[in-house]
């Protein structure tokens, strides 16, 4: 039947060919290959799981902290504006915001300086300047210099306690001791004429202010006469 030869006398092989048994070396190599494949697959699986569970630290500083000046606030603002921005785009926008803040600060300081320069300093009154001149003379300051304008103001108002207070009048008397020449003579003449006027006015109606001026006039005349 199956082993019968066809016509022509040639014997045909069977339908199923017999396989040669694998050697021990071949079986051992195949087994080692399967082990290597299993180990490699396990390692790749662990790496993928670790990559999914571990959050990436933001760029710019170790440990995921942004230590750049105003970096955290700027990044939060940028994330709120557009959370899909890349780290590089966020850094670019942060630098732009920082430049704008510096520009506005320089403009504000420039405007403040201009306003201060345009505002003129408060002018001091003649009374303040004359009394400072007198005090500087009394303290013998090295920068003191004679000023005729200040002396003229003192001689003109020295009998008025509102303009030359009592605490400065004693210093003014000491200053008057240094008057010489024509200035001394004119001061005495004016004091005598003013004394006569005050005596006549005081006789008609006594006034405390007139009495104070009269007392100062007597002190000046007694000093310079």
């Amino acid at each position: 039947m199956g082993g019968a030869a066809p016509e022509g006398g040639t014997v045909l092989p069977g339908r199923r060919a017999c396989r040669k048994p694998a050697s021990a070396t071949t079986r051992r190599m195949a087994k080692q290959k399967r082990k290597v494949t299993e180990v490699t697959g396990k390692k790749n699986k662990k790496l993928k799981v670790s990559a999914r569970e571990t959050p990436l630290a933001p760029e710019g500083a170790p440990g995921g902290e942004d230590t750049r000046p105003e970096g955290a606030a700027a990044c939060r603002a940028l994330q709120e504006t557009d959370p899909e921005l890349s780290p590089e785009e966020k850094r670019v926008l942060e630098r732009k915001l920082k430049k704008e803040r510096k520009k506005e600060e320089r403009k504000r300081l420039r405007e403040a300086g201009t306003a201060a320069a345009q505002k003129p300093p408060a002018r001091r009154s003649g009374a303040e300047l004359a009394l400072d001149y007198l005090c500087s003379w009394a303290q013998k300051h090295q920068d003191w210099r004679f000023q005729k304008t200040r002396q003229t103001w003192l001689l003109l108002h020295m009998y008025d306690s509102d303009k030359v207070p009592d605490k400065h009048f004693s210093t003014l008397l000491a200053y008057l001791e240094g008057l010489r020449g024509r200035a001394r003579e004119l001061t005495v003449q004016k004091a005598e004429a003013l004394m006569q006027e005050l005596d006549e006015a005081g006789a008609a109606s006594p006034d405390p202010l007139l009495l104070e001026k009269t007392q100062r006039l007597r002190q000046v005349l007694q000093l310079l006469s």
Side-chain angles (χ1 to χ4, degrees), residues 95-165:
R95 286 194 292 269
K96 289 183 178 180
L97 290 173
K98 191 173 182 180
K99 288 182 180 179
E100 289 296 328
R101 285 194 295 269
K102 288 184 177 180
K103 184 177 180 181
E104 292 176 0
E105 181 66 16
R106 288 195 298 267
K107 182 179 179 181
R108 186 182 65 80
L109 293 175
R110 186 165 57 251
E111 291 177 352
T114 303
Q118 292 177 351
K119 184 179 180 180
R123 296 185 61 181
R124 304 184 67 191
S125 65
E128 292 176 336
L129 293 173
L131 294 176
D132 285 349
Y133 167 82
L134 182 62
C135 292
S136 180
W137 170 85
Q139 296 170 2
K140 297 180 172 55
H141 286 176
Q142 294 180 355
D143 57 348
W144 182 86
R145 295 292 183 273
F146 171 75
Q147 298 182 39
K148 186 175 180 59
T149 303
R150 308 299 171 220
Q151 177 176 288
T152 301
W153 188 96
L154 290 170
L155 296 177
L156 182 62
H157 300 94
M158 62 181 174
Y159 305 116
D160 188 345
S161 59
D162 292 335
K163 296 183 178 180
V164 181

Side-chain angles (χ1 to χ4, degrees), residues 2 14 97 103 106 110 112-113 166 168 172 177 182 202:
L97 290 173
K103 184 177 180 181
R106 288 195 298 267
R110 186 165 57 251
D166 292 336
H168 294 293
L172 181 56
E177 290 182 1
R182 185 61 178 170

